[in-house]
Amino acid sequence: MLIAFGMFAVAFVTFLLIAVIYFYPGSAKVSTIPGLDPSDTREGNLPEIIAAGSLHEFLVKLHKDHGPIASFWYGPKFTVSVASPDVLSDLKGVFDRPAELFKVYESVVSPESIQYANGIEGRKRRKLTDPAWGHEQLNHFSATFNELGEEVVKKLTSLPQDDHVALCQYALALSVKGLSQTCFGRYFQDDRKCYELKRNYEICWNEMEARIGGELDQEGSENQKKVDEALTNLKKMLQEVMKERKASPPKPQEKVFIDFLMEKSDVYTESMILADSLTYMVGGIHPTGYLLAWTLYFIATHKDVEEKLYQEIMEVVGKSKAIAAEDVSKLRYMKQVLNESLRLSALAPWGAKVQELDIELGGHIIPKGTSIITALGVVLQDETLWPLPNQFDPERFSPENVKARHQFAFQPFGLPSRACPGSNFAFLELSIFLAILVRNFKWRLVDGQVVESVHHLVTAPQEEIWAQVEKRS
Ligand code: HEM
């Protein structure tokens, strides 16, 4: 009897030990992938992420220490990050995205957003809206981008000589106007409406940035009321847009993004239209605004690049012609400059995927449901792929250099199965703005600035960048 009890006790303790090892976060049982154990059972490695300054900076160190496929704990969840072109290429067919890594957007875009739609529903919604950024639509947008670019030229020309120009402020204002007028139509041609949109949108954006930094407002706090009010104002403006477009439907060639949603009333309820309209604002305004600011900064600090770009613009479109979409496709060096700005700024440093089944990646089994981070920004600055990665050099994107490199070394818009819907829009808009700004002015950085990056939702300059412009004769 005593022996039987002893055997039972040993078996029970062994079972307990196995259970603890199996279920405790960090257990080697979860996967064979090298990486970090959680520093806290509930928070996982969040303390290390916060100490690193951002998820991107944490991932840079994680991959330096553990190689191109590495694991860590995002709170209580085992998470894998991949930072090699080969492994990224293995994920190219995966569409779904884990919601928990994008929680910070939810307070603004709502759970109904495309951001959280996976499987058949997600694919269906992308199929319905992607044509809003098709070739034909983009052709129509170029007139708006030309007008907005010329407006800025007028403003800059009227400044006193040697005045300082706030690059981020100008770039974000241009991006708000460009996106709102082309996604939502004529309603935002009124400057006051655009200003209202920018003011309310920035309150919401700042709230999401604060949340990613770990700050959470108390329910009913003054700040929370301000954010709720801003969100309500944005939704009211979008509802007015919908009402106007319903009352006087656009001609087929004038159709914009919101029309593509409104005409599918069997799929999109009003709250889904609001959710996706806000999602495309959030997805589009800051990335394009900051990419414009970063590119002007790189141009201002690389005179050889500025001159080469100026020569190309003069050859393709000349001093004053409006720039059409077909001209943009001939501005090859412009594309190299924009690609190198995307690479060096690591503008959108990571994305994420999830699978309903176990998958094999880089020789390891990843359990189903594991969040897989695509560390796009780590790859963009990997010195084995990009020698002297901190130098700005558009020649990296010459046709020969592109051909010689792994295709998945440069995926700034995410992997092909669910790439950013706004990439062609962003290239067209920014090529037109830059062509107009570079053919009219020489750009120079105001002396004495140290420009550093901050990797929040999008990689931004830590402080405003100040430039000076000289009108070209
Ligand atoms: C230079 C500018 C931009 C960059 C670098 C960029 C980057 C990205 C990346 C990396 C993703 C995928 C994230 C993942 O894999 O999880 C993404 C998704 C997305 N982007 Fe962009 N983006 C840019 C401009 C835009 C613009 C102009 C728009 C709107 C017109 C936009 C709207 C979106 C939306 C709605 C998604 C989510 C799509 C979905 O859930 O299927 N983006 N973007």
Side-chain angles (χ1 to χ4, degrees), residues 95-98 102 113-117 122 126 130 133 175 179 183 257 276 279-289 291-292 342 347-353 374 376 411-415 417-423 425-427 429-430 458:
F95 182 85
D96 291 354
R97 178 184 287 142
F102 299 91
S113 154
I114 177 67
Q115 183 70 30
Y116 308 108
R126 280 295 301 263
D130 281 0
W133 319 104
S175 171
L179 187 120
C183 271
F257 170 71
D276 278 1
T279 306
Y280 277 74
M281 264 186 216
V282 168
I285 289 177
H286 275 82
T288 40
L291 183 57
L292 180 58
L342 274 167
L347 195 70
W350 56 272
K353 300 280 176 204
T374 49
L376 309 169
Q411 294 290 323
F413 293 100
L415 303 185
S417 52
R418 193 175 188 169
C420 171
S423 57
F425 173 93
F427 272 115
E429 180 185 49
L430 295 186
V458 176

Short mmCIF file of all heavy atoms in Angstrom, two decimals, residues 95-98 102 113-117 122 126 130 133 175 179 183 257 276 279-289 291-292 342 347-353 374 376 411-415 417-423 425-427 429-430 458, ligand 1:
data_model
loop_
_atom_site.label_atom_id
_atom_site.label_comp_id
_atom_site.label_asym_id
_atom_site.label_seq_id
_atom_site.Cartn_x
_atom_site.Cartn_y
_atom_site.Cartn_z
N PHE A 95 -2.38 35.39 -45.70
CA PHE A 95 -3.18 36.62 -45.75
C PHE A 95 -3.52 37.16 -44.36
O PHE A 95 -3.49 38.36 -44.11
CB PHE A 95 -4.49 36.32 -46.51
CG PHE A 95 -5.39 37.52 -46.66
CD1 PHE A 95 -5.21 38.43 -47.70
CD2 PHE A 95 -6.41 37.77 -45.75
CE1 PHE A 95 -6.03 39.54 -47.84
CE2 PHE A 95 -7.24 38.88 -45.87
CZ PHE A 95 -7.05 39.76 -46.92
N ASP A 96 -3.83 36.25 -43.43
CA ASP A 96 -4.41 36.69 -42.15
C ASP A 96 -3.41 37.44 -41.27
O ASP A 96 -2.21 37.21 -41.35
CB ASP A 96 -4.95 35.48 -41.38
CG ASP A 96 -6.18 34.90 -42.06
OD1 ASP A 96 -6.66 35.51 -43.03
OD2 ASP A 96 -6.66 33.83 -41.62
N ARG A 97 -3.99 38.29 -40.43
CA ARG A 97 -3.17 39.15 -39.57
C ARG A 97 -3.68 39.01 -38.14
O ARG A 97 -4.89 38.98 -37.91
CB ARG A 97 -3.39 40.58 -40.08
CG ARG A 97 -2.66 41.60 -39.29
CD ARG A 97 -3.01 42.98 -39.79
NE ARG A 97 -2.41 43.30 -41.06
CZ ARG A 97 -3.03 43.99 -42.02
NH1 ARG A 97 -4.27 44.41 -41.85
NH2 ARG A 97 -2.43 44.27 -43.12
N PRO A 98 -2.79 38.88 -37.15
CA PRO A 98 -3.26 38.73 -35.77
C PRO A 98 -3.76 40.06 -35.23
O PRO A 98 -3.08 41.08 -35.38
CB PRO A 98 -2.00 38.29 -35.02
CG PRO A 98 -0.87 38.86 -35.83
CD PRO A 98 -1.32 38.93 -37.25
N PHE A 102 -2.30 44.80 -33.27
CA PHE A 102 -2.79 46.06 -33.84
C PHE A 102 -3.91 46.66 -33.00
O PHE A 102 -4.70 47.45 -33.49
CB PHE A 102 -3.23 45.84 -35.30
CG PHE A 102 -2.11 45.36 -36.17
CD1 PHE A 102 -1.87 44.01 -36.35
CD2 PHE A 102 -1.24 46.26 -36.77
CE1 PHE A 102 -0.82 43.55 -37.13
CE2 PHE A 102 -0.19 45.83 -37.55
CZ PHE A 102 0.03 44.46 -37.73
N SER A 113 -13.05 47.36 -38.78
CA SER A 113 -12.11 47.79 -39.82
C SER A 113 -11.55 46.61 -40.62
O SER A 113 -11.38 45.51 -40.08
CB SER A 113 -10.97 48.53 -39.13
OG SER A 113 -9.80 48.48 -39.88
N ILE A 114 -11.16 46.88 -41.86
CA ILE A 114 -10.48 45.87 -42.70
C ILE A 114 -9.21 45.37 -42.02
O ILE A 114 -8.78 44.23 -42.21
CB ILE A 114 -10.15 46.46 -44.12
CG1 ILE A 114 -9.38 45.47 -45.01
CG2 ILE A 114 -9.33 47.73 -44.04
CD1 ILE A 114 -10.14 44.28 -45.43
N GLN A 115 -8.62 46.21 -41.19
CA GLN A 115 -7.41 45.85 -40.44
C GLN A 115 -7.57 44.51 -39.72
O GLN A 115 -6.63 43.76 -39.57
CB GLN A 115 -7.15 46.98 -39.42
CG GLN A 115 -5.90 46.84 -38.59
CD GLN A 115 -4.63 47.05 -39.42
OE1 GLN A 115 -4.63 47.80 -40.39
NE2 GLN A 115 -3.57 46.37 -39.06
N TYR A 116 -8.79 44.22 -39.27
CA TYR A 116 -9.02 43.01 -38.46
C TYR A 116 -9.77 41.92 -39.22
O TYR A 116 -10.14 40.90 -38.63
CB TYR A 116 -9.79 43.37 -37.18
CG TYR A 116 -9.14 44.50 -36.43
CD1 TYR A 116 -9.71 45.76 -36.40
CD2 TYR A 116 -7.93 44.30 -35.78
CE1 TYR A 116 -9.09 46.81 -35.73
CE2 TYR A 116 -7.31 45.34 -35.11
CZ TYR A 116 -7.89 46.59 -35.10
OH TYR A 116 -7.27 47.62 -34.44
N ALA A 117 -10.05 42.16 -40.51
CA ALA A 117 -10.84 41.17 -41.26
C ALA A 117 -9.91 40.13 -41.88
O ALA A 117 -9.04 40.47 -42.68
CB ALA A 117 -11.65 41.88 -42.35
N GLY A 122 -12.02 39.03 -45.33
CA GLY A 122 -10.96 40.01 -45.57
C GLY A 122 -10.60 40.09 -47.04
O GLY A 122 -10.49 41.17 -47.62
N ARG A 126 -10.99 43.32 -49.66
CA ARG A 126 -9.86 43.89 -50.41
C ARG A 126 -10.16 43.88 -51.92
O ARG A 126 -9.83 44.81 -52.63
CB ARG A 126 -8.58 43.10 -50.11
CG ARG A 126 -7.91 43.47 -48.80
CD ARG A 126 -7.40 44.90 -48.80
NE ARG A 126 -6.43 45.15 -49.83
CZ ARG A 126 -5.10 45.12 -49.67
NH1 ARG A 126 -4.61 44.87 -48.49
NH2 ARG A 126 -4.29 45.37 -50.67
N ASP A 130 -9.75 47.41 -53.70
CA ASP A 130 -8.47 47.64 -54.39
C ASP A 130 -8.63 48.39 -55.73
O ASP A 130 -7.77 49.20 -56.08
CB ASP A 130 -7.69 46.32 -54.58
CG ASP A 130 -6.98 45.90 -53.29
OD1 ASP A 130 -7.11 46.63 -52.28
OD2 ASP A 130 -6.30 44.86 -53.27
N TRP A 133 -7.81 52.08 -56.26
CA TRP A 133 -6.43 52.57 -56.44
C TRP A 133 -5.87 52.05 -57.75
O TRP A 133 -4.67 51.90 -57.91
CB TRP A 133 -5.54 52.12 -55.26
CG TRP A 133 -6.27 52.23 -53.97
CD1 TRP A 133 -6.81 51.22 -53.25
CD2 TRP A 133 -6.61 53.43 -53.28
NE1 TRP A 133 -7.46 51.72 -52.16
CE2 TRP A 133 -7.34 53.07 -52.15
CE3 TRP A 133 -6.35 54.78 -53.51
CZ2 TRP A 133 -7.85 54.00 -51.24
CZ3 TRP A 133 -6.84 55.71 -52.61
CH2 TRP A 133 -7.57 55.31 -51.50
N SER A 175 -0.26 65.93 -47.39
CA SER A 175 -0.76 64.56 -47.38
C SER A 175 -2.25 64.50 -46.99
O SER A 175 -3.02 63.75 -47.59
CB SER A 175 0.11 63.75 -46.42
OG SER A 175 -0.45 62.51 -46.22
N LEU A 179 -4.91 63.07 -49.69
CA LEU A 179 -5.68 61.85 -49.42
C LEU A 179 -7.18 62.15 -49.30
O LEU A 179 -8.01 61.44 -49.86
CB LEU A 179 -5.18 61.17 -48.15
CG LEU A 179 -5.85 59.82 -47.94
CD1 LEU A 179 -4.82 58.69 -47.91
CD2 LEU A 179 -6.68 59.77 -46.68
N CYS A 183 -9.74 60.45 -51.82
CA CYS A 183 -10.48 59.30 -51.26
C CYS A 183 -11.96 59.62 -51.06
O CYS A 183 -12.80 58.74 -51.11
CB CYS A 183 -9.96 58.96 -49.87
SG CYS A 183 -8.63 57.83 -49.83
N PHE A 257 -12.74 56.40 -53.51
CA PHE A 257 -12.76 55.27 -52.58
C PHE A 257 -14.10 55.06 -51.88
O PHE A 257 -14.67 53.97 -51.89
CB PHE A 257 -11.63 55.48 -51.56
CG PHE A 257 -11.65 54.52 -50.41
CD1 PHE A 257 -11.32 53.18 -50.60
CD2 PHE A 257 -12.01 54.95 -49.14
CE1 PHE A 257 -11.34 52.29 -49.53
CE2 PHE A 257 -12.03 54.06 -48.08
CZ PHE A 257 -11.71 52.73 -48.27
N ASP A 276 -13.80 51.69 -42.37
CA ASP A 276 -12.77 51.57 -43.41
C ASP A 276 -12.29 52.93 -43.90
O ASP A 276 -11.11 53.10 -44.26
CB ASP A 276 -13.25 50.70 -44.57
CG ASP A 276 -13.08 49.21 -44.24
OD1 ASP A 276 -12.60 48.91 -43.11
OD2 ASP A 276 -13.40 48.36 -45.08
N THR A 279 -9.81 53.85 -41.44
CA THR A 279 -8.62 52.99 -41.58
C THR A 279 -7.72 53.49 -42.71
O THR A 279 -6.50 53.54 -42.58
CB THR A 279 -9.04 51.54 -41.89
OG1 THR A 279 -9.95 51.11 -40.89
CG2 THR A 279 -7.85 50.59 -41.92
N TYR A 280 -8.32 53.88 -43.83
CA TYR A 280 -7.50 54.34 -44.96
C TYR A 280 -6.88 55.71 -44.66
O TYR A 280 -5.79 56.01 -45.13
CB TYR A 280 -8.32 54.35 -46.27
CG TYR A 280 -8.34 52.96 -46.88
CD1 TYR A 280 -9.11 51.95 -46.34
CD2 TYR A 280 -7.53 52.63 -47.96
CE1 TYR A 280 -9.11 50.65 -46.86
CE2 TYR A 280 -7.51 51.35 -48.50
CZ TYR A 280 -8.29 50.36 -47.94
OH TYR A 280 -8.26 49.09 -48.46
N MET A 281 -7.58 56.52 -43.84
CA MET A 281 -6.96 57.79 -43.41
C MET A 281 -5.73 57.49 -42.57
O MET A 281 -4.65 58.02 -42.80
CB MET A 281 -7.94 58.55 -42.49
CG MET A 281 -8.75 59.58 -43.16
SD MET A 281 -9.68 60.44 -41.84
CE MET A 281 -11.18 60.72 -42.71
N VAL A 282 -5.92 56.61 -41.57
CA VAL A 282 -4.82 56.27 -40.67
C VAL A 282 -3.69 55.59 -41.45
O VAL A 282 -2.51 55.86 -41.25
CB VAL A 282 -5.33 55.34 -39.54
CG1 VAL A 282 -4.19 54.74 -38.75
CG2 VAL A 282 -6.26 56.11 -38.61
N GLY A 283 -4.07 54.70 -42.38
CA GLY A 283 -3.06 53.98 -43.17
C GLY A 283 -2.30 54.90 -44.11
O GLY A 283 -1.14 54.64 -44.43
N GLY A 284 -2.96 55.98 -44.56
CA GLY A 284 -2.37 56.78 -45.64
C GLY A 284 -1.73 58.09 -45.24
O GLY A 284 -0.68 58.45 -45.78
N ILE A 285 -2.33 58.82 -44.30
CA ILE A 285 -1.88 60.20 -44.10
C ILE A 285 -0.45 60.29 -43.55
O ILE A 285 0.42 60.94 -44.15
CB ILE A 285 -2.88 60.97 -43.20
CG1 ILE A 285 -4.18 61.22 -43.98
CG2 ILE A 285 -2.28 62.30 -42.72
CD1 ILE A 285 -5.30 61.89 -43.21
N HIS A 286 -0.19 59.66 -42.44
CA HIS A 286 1.15 59.81 -41.85
C HIS A 286 2.26 59.13 -42.66
O HIS A 286 3.33 59.71 -42.82
CB HIS A 286 1.16 59.40 -40.37
CG HIS A 286 0.73 60.52 -39.48
ND1 HIS A 286 -0.59 60.84 -39.26
CD2 HIS A 286 1.45 61.44 -38.80
CE1 HIS A 286 -0.66 61.89 -38.48
NE2 HIS A 286 0.56 62.28 -38.17
N PRO A 287 2.03 57.91 -43.19
CA PRO A 287 3.12 57.32 -43.99
C PRO A 287 3.53 58.20 -45.18
O PRO A 287 4.71 58.45 -45.39
CB PRO A 287 2.55 55.98 -44.46
CG PRO A 287 1.53 55.63 -43.45
CD PRO A 287 0.94 56.94 -42.99
N THR A 288 2.54 58.72 -45.92
CA THR A 288 2.93 59.51 -47.10
C THR A 288 3.50 60.87 -46.65
O THR A 288 4.47 61.36 -47.23
CB THR A 288 1.76 59.73 -48.08
OG1 THR A 288 0.58 59.98 -47.35
CG2 THR A 288 1.54 58.55 -48.97
N GLY A 289 2.89 61.47 -45.61
CA GLY A 289 3.40 62.75 -45.11
C GLY A 289 4.85 62.62 -44.66
O GLY A 289 5.72 63.39 -45.07
N LEU A 291 6.99 60.22 -45.44
CA LEU A 291 7.90 59.84 -46.52
C LEU A 291 8.30 61.09 -47.33
O LEU A 291 9.46 61.24 -47.73
CB LEU A 291 7.27 58.78 -47.44
CG LEU A 291 8.20 58.29 -48.56
CD1 LEU A 291 9.51 57.72 -48.00
CD2 LEU A 291 7.52 57.22 -49.41
N LEU A 292 7.34 62.01 -47.51
CA LEU A 292 7.68 63.25 -48.22
C LEU A 292 8.70 64.05 -47.40
O LEU A 292 9.70 64.54 -47.95
CB LEU A 292 6.39 64.08 -48.44
CG LEU A 292 6.56 65.41 -49.16
CD1 LEU A 292 7.20 65.22 -50.54
CD2 LEU A 292 5.21 66.12 -49.33
N LEU A 342 12.42 55.16 -48.46
CA LEU A 342 11.63 54.15 -47.75
C LEU A 342 12.54 53.19 -46.98
O LEU A 342 12.26 52.82 -45.86
CB LEU A 342 10.82 53.31 -48.75
CG LEU A 342 9.47 53.85 -49.18
CD1 LEU A 342 8.97 53.09 -50.40
CD2 LEU A 342 8.45 53.74 -48.05
N LEU A 347 10.20 53.29 -42.81
CA LEU A 347 8.97 54.03 -42.54
C LEU A 347 7.89 53.21 -41.83
O LEU A 347 7.31 53.64 -40.85
CB LEU A 347 8.44 54.54 -43.88
CG LEU A 347 7.39 55.61 -43.81
CD1 LEU A 347 7.98 56.92 -43.34
CD2 LEU A 347 6.73 55.81 -45.16
N ALA A 348 7.60 52.03 -42.35
CA ALA A 348 6.61 51.15 -41.71
C ALA A 348 7.39 49.90 -41.31
O ALA A 348 7.55 48.98 -42.09
CB ALA A 348 5.50 50.81 -42.70
N PRO A 349 7.94 49.87 -40.08
CA PRO A 349 9.00 48.91 -39.79
C PRO A 349 8.58 47.45 -39.62
O PRO A 349 9.42 46.58 -39.66
CB PRO A 349 9.63 49.43 -38.50
CG PRO A 349 8.71 50.45 -37.96
CD PRO A 349 7.71 50.82 -39.01
N TRP A 350 7.30 47.20 -39.43
CA TRP A 350 6.93 45.78 -39.29
C TRP A 350 5.47 45.56 -39.65
O TRP A 350 4.65 46.46 -39.59
CB TRP A 350 7.22 45.27 -37.88
CG TRP A 350 6.56 46.07 -36.78
CD1 TRP A 350 7.08 47.17 -36.16
CD2 TRP A 350 5.26 45.85 -36.21
NE1 TRP A 350 6.18 47.66 -35.24
CE2 TRP A 350 5.05 46.86 -35.24
CE3 TRP A 350 4.26 44.90 -36.41
CZ2 TRP A 350 3.88 46.95 -34.48
CZ3 TRP A 350 3.08 45.00 -35.66
CH2 TRP A 350 2.91 46.01 -34.70
N GLY A 351 5.18 44.33 -40.03
CA GLY A 351 3.80 43.89 -40.25
C GLY A 351 3.64 42.60 -39.46
O GLY A 351 4.51 42.22 -38.68
N ALA A 352 2.51 41.90 -39.68
CA ALA A 352 2.35 40.64 -38.94
C ALA A 352 1.40 39.70 -39.66
O ALA A 352 0.53 40.13 -40.43
CB ALA A 352 1.83 40.93 -37.54
N LYS A 353 1.60 38.41 -39.41
CA LYS A 353 0.80 37.35 -40.03
C LYS A 353 0.39 36.34 -38.98
O LYS A 353 1.02 36.23 -37.91
CB LYS A 353 1.65 36.60 -41.07
CG LYS A 353 2.19 37.46 -42.19
CD LYS A 353 1.13 37.70 -43.21
CE LYS A 353 1.56 38.62 -44.32
NZ LYS A 353 0.47 39.28 -44.97
N THR A 374 6.59 40.25 -39.29
CA THR A 374 7.48 40.39 -40.44
C THR A 374 8.32 41.65 -40.17
O THR A 374 7.81 42.77 -40.28
CB THR A 374 6.66 40.52 -41.75
OG1 THR A 374 5.65 41.52 -41.56
CG2 THR A 374 5.97 39.22 -42.10
N LEU A 376 10.12 43.93 -41.33
CA LEU A 376 10.50 44.52 -42.61
C LEU A 376 11.63 45.53 -42.44
O LEU A 376 12.57 45.58 -43.23
CB LEU A 376 9.28 45.24 -43.23
CG LEU A 376 7.98 44.42 -43.33
CD1 LEU A 376 6.80 45.31 -43.68
CD2 LEU A 376 8.14 43.30 -44.36
N GLN A 411 10.62 44.98 -49.04
CA GLN A 411 9.16 44.82 -49.02
C GLN A 411 8.55 45.91 -48.11
O GLN A 411 7.89 45.60 -47.11
CB GLN A 411 8.78 43.43 -48.48
CG GLN A 411 9.22 42.27 -49.36
CD GLN A 411 8.44 42.20 -50.66
OE1 GLN A 411 7.26 42.46 -50.72
NE2 GLN A 411 9.13 41.84 -51.73
N PRO A 412 8.77 47.18 -48.44
CA PRO A 412 8.33 48.25 -47.52
C PRO A 412 6.81 48.36 -47.40
O PRO A 412 6.31 48.99 -46.48
CB PRO A 412 8.92 49.52 -48.14
CG PRO A 412 9.05 49.19 -49.59
CD PRO A 412 9.36 47.73 -49.67
N PHE A 413 6.08 47.75 -48.34
CA PHE A 413 4.62 47.82 -48.30
C PHE A 413 3.99 46.50 -47.83
O PHE A 413 2.80 46.28 -48.00
CB PHE A 413 4.06 48.20 -49.67
CG PHE A 413 4.43 49.61 -50.09
CD1 PHE A 413 5.48 49.84 -50.96
CD2 PHE A 413 3.75 50.70 -49.57
CE1 PHE A 413 5.83 51.14 -51.32
CE2 PHE A 413 4.09 52.00 -49.92
CZ PHE A 413 5.14 52.22 -50.80
N GLY A 414 4.80 45.64 -47.23
CA GLY A 414 4.26 44.37 -46.73
C GLY A 414 4.34 43.28 -47.79
O GLY A 414 4.65 43.54 -48.95
N LEU A 415 4.05 42.05 -47.38
CA LEU A 415 4.20 40.91 -48.29
C LEU A 415 3.05 40.85 -49.29
O LEU A 415 1.93 41.29 -49.00
CB LEU A 415 4.27 39.61 -47.47
CG LEU A 415 5.38 39.57 -46.42
CD1 LEU A 415 5.44 38.21 -45.75
CD2 LEU A 415 6.73 39.90 -47.04
N SER A 417 0.77 38.84 -50.44
CA SER A 417 -0.57 38.30 -50.25
C SER A 417 -1.54 39.34 -49.66
O SER A 417 -2.75 39.26 -49.88
CB SER A 417 -0.52 37.11 -49.30
OG SER A 417 0.16 37.50 -48.14
N ARG A 418 -0.99 40.32 -48.91
CA ARG A 418 -1.85 41.36 -48.36
C ARG A 418 -1.03 42.64 -48.27
O ARG A 418 -0.87 43.24 -47.19
CB ARG A 418 -2.35 40.97 -46.97
CG ARG A 418 -3.48 41.86 -46.48
CD ARG A 418 -4.04 41.38 -45.15
NE ARG A 418 -5.22 42.11 -44.78
CZ ARG A 418 -6.02 41.77 -43.78
NH1 ARG A 418 -5.73 40.69 -43.05
NH2 ARG A 418 -7.07 42.48 -43.49
N ALA A 419 -0.51 43.05 -49.42
CA ALA A 419 0.34 44.24 -49.41
C ALA A 419 -0.53 45.47 -49.24
O ALA A 419 -1.75 45.43 -49.41
CB ALA A 419 1.12 44.31 -50.69
N CYS A 420 0.12 46.57 -48.89
CA CYS A 420 -0.56 47.85 -48.72
C CYS A 420 -1.35 48.21 -49.97
O CYS A 420 -0.80 48.20 -51.08
CB CYS A 420 0.50 48.90 -48.47
SG CYS A 420 -0.14 50.57 -48.50
N PRO A 421 -2.63 48.56 -49.84
CA PRO A 421 -3.39 48.93 -51.03
C PRO A 421 -2.99 50.31 -51.58
O PRO A 421 -3.32 50.63 -52.72
CB PRO A 421 -4.84 48.98 -50.51
CG PRO A 421 -4.72 49.21 -49.03
CD PRO A 421 -3.44 48.57 -48.61
N GLY A 422 -2.27 51.10 -50.76
CA GLY A 422 -2.00 52.50 -51.16
C GLY A 422 -0.63 52.71 -51.77
O GLY A 422 -0.23 53.88 -51.96
N SER A 423 0.11 51.63 -52.13
CA SER A 423 1.50 51.85 -52.59
C SER A 423 1.56 52.65 -53.90
O SER A 423 2.34 53.60 -54.00
CB SER A 423 2.23 50.52 -52.73
OG SER A 423 1.53 49.69 -53.62
N PHE A 425 -0.69 54.64 -55.14
CA PHE A 425 -1.19 55.98 -54.81
C PHE A 425 -0.05 56.81 -54.22
O PHE A 425 0.21 57.94 -54.63
CB PHE A 425 -2.33 55.84 -53.79
CG PHE A 425 -2.84 57.13 -53.22
CD1 PHE A 425 -3.92 57.78 -53.81
CD2 PHE A 425 -2.26 57.70 -52.10
CE1 PHE A 425 -4.41 58.97 -53.28
CE2 PHE A 425 -2.72 58.89 -51.57
CZ PHE A 425 -3.81 59.52 -52.16
N ALA A 426 0.68 56.23 -53.24
CA ALA A 426 1.75 56.97 -52.55
C ALA A 426 2.85 57.36 -53.54
O ALA A 426 3.33 58.50 -53.53
CB ALA A 426 2.32 56.12 -51.42
N PHE A 427 3.24 56.42 -54.44
CA PHE A 427 4.30 56.74 -55.41
C PHE A 427 3.87 57.85 -56.36
O PHE A 427 4.64 58.76 -56.66
CB PHE A 427 4.70 55.50 -56.21
CG PHE A 427 5.79 54.72 -55.54
CD1 PHE A 427 5.56 53.44 -55.07
CD2 PHE A 427 7.04 55.28 -55.36
CE1 PHE A 427 6.56 52.73 -54.42
CE2 PHE A 427 8.05 54.57 -54.73
CZ PHE A 427 7.81 53.29 -54.26
N GLU A 429 1.49 60.20 -55.91
CA GLU A 429 1.32 61.47 -55.19
C GLU A 429 2.68 62.09 -54.88
O GLU A 429 2.95 63.26 -55.16
CB GLU A 429 0.54 61.22 -53.89
CG GLU A 429 0.32 62.48 -53.09
CD GLU A 429 -0.36 62.21 -51.75
OE1 GLU A 429 0.10 61.30 -51.02
OE2 GLU A 429 -1.34 62.90 -51.43
N LEU A 430 3.58 61.28 -54.30
CA LEU A 430 4.86 61.83 -53.86
C LEU A 430 5.75 62.18 -55.05
O LEU A 430 6.49 63.17 -54.99
CB LEU A 430 5.56 60.86 -52.92
CG LEU A 430 4.80 60.65 -51.60
CD1 LEU A 430 5.59 59.78 -50.65
CD2 LEU A 430 4.47 61.97 -50.93
N VAL A 458 4.47 54.91 -37.22
CA VAL A 458 5.24 55.10 -38.45
C VAL A 458 6.56 55.72 -38.00
O VAL A 458 6.58 56.40 -36.98
CB VAL A 458 4.50 56.09 -39.38
CG1 VAL A 458 5.31 56.38 -40.62
CG2 VAL A 458 3.13 55.55 -39.79
C1 HEM B 1 4.69 55.30 -48.23
C2 HEM B 1 3.55 55.03 -47.78
C3 HEM B 1 3.07 53.74 -47.18
C4 HEM B 1 3.74 52.69 -46.60
C5 HEM B 1 5.24 52.55 -46.41
C6 HEM B 1 2.75 51.71 -46.19
C7 HEM B 1 3.04 50.50 -45.60
C8 HEM B 1 2.10 49.51 -45.31
C9 HEM B 1 2.40 48.18 -44.85
C10 HEM B 1 3.78 47.64 -44.56
C11 HEM B 1 1.22 47.52 -44.71
C12 HEM B 1 1.02 46.04 -44.34
C13 HEM B 1 1.18 45.74 -42.88
C14 HEM B 1 1.16 44.22 -42.61
O1 HEM B 1 1.74 43.45 -43.37
O2 HEM B 1 0.57 43.83 -41.60
C15 HEM B 1 0.16 48.44 -45.04
C16 HEM B 1 -1.18 48.16 -44.98
C17 HEM B 1 -2.17 49.08 -45.23
N1 HEM B 1 -2.00 50.33 -45.79
FE1 HEM B 1 -0.25 51.20 -46.27
N2 HEM B 1 1.51 52.19 -46.53
C18 HEM B 1 1.66 53.41 -47.15
C19 HEM B 1 0.67 54.20 -47.71
C20 HEM B 1 -0.68 53.93 -47.63
C21 HEM B 1 -1.72 54.73 -48.21
C22 HEM B 1 -1.50 56.00 -49.04
C23 HEM B 1 -2.91 54.17 -47.86
C24 HEM B 1 -4.32 54.61 -48.19
C25 HEM B 1 -4.65 55.16 -49.31
C26 HEM B 1 -2.61 52.98 -47.07
C27 HEM B 1 -3.54 52.14 -46.50
C28 HEM B 1 -3.25 50.92 -45.92
C29 HEM B 1 -4.27 50.00 -45.42
C30 HEM B 1 -5.78 50.25 -45.38
C31 HEM B 1 -3.59 48.86 -44.99
C32 HEM B 1 -4.24 47.59 -44.40
C33 HEM B 1 -4.80 46.75 -45.52
C34 HEM B 1 -5.42 45.43 -45.06
O3 HEM B 1 -5.71 45.29 -43.88
O4 HEM B 1 -5.62 44.55 -45.90
N3 HEM B 1 -1.26 52.86 -46.95
N4 HEM B 1 0.73 49.64 -45.44
#
